């Protein structure tokens, strides 16, 4: 059987994000702070390659703004 692992693209809840920069520092290939001072997910992010740091960002976000 050919099982494919589907990795959900994370989302940043901008209502909650306080722009602390933690996610962008632990997982810079996926998260970056935008001009609005809030984090967002880069379009071209390689989710498979970065799955561990995505989890780290999600668990470490002080306000729980990263959702999957
Ligand atoms: Fe926003 Fe959370 Fe990232 Fe901090 S860690 S910039 S609060 S999403």
């Amino acid at each position: 059987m050919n099982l494919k692992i589907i990795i959900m693209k994370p989302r940043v809840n901008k209502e909650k994000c306080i722009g602390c920069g933690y996610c962008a520092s632990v997982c810079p290939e996926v998260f970056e702070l935008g001009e609005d001072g809030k984090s967002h997910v880069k379009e071209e992010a390689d989710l498979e390659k970065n799955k561990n740091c995505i989890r780290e960002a999600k668990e470490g976000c002080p306000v729980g703004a990263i959702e999957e």
Side-chain angles (χ1 to χ4, degrees), residues 12 16-24 33 39 57 61-63 65-66:
V12 174
K16 290 187 185 171
C17 176
I18 55 170
C20 72
Y22 176 78
C23 55
L33 292 184
S39 172
C61 173
V63 292
I66 300 170

Side-chain angles (χ1 to χ4, degrees), residues 18-35:
I18 55 170
C20 72
Y22 176 78
C23 55
S25 73
V26 294
C27 204
E29 287 185 23
V30 176
F31 301 97
E32 68 182 353
L33 292 184
E35 289 183 357

Side-chain angles (χ1 to χ4, degrees), residues 17-55:
C17 176
I18 55 170
C20 72
Y22 176 78
C23 55
S25 73
V26 294
C27 204
E29 287 185 23
V30 176
F31 301 97
E32 68 182 353
L33 292 184
E35 289 183 357
D36 59 357
K38 311 265 174 148
S39 172
H40 66 266
V41 176
K42 295 182 184 180
E43 274 309 315
E44 73 281 14
D46 184 337
L47 303 179
E48 169 62 30
K49 180 178 157 211
N50 289 290
K51 63 177 189 274
N52 290 333
C53 74
I54 291 171
R55 185 177 318 120

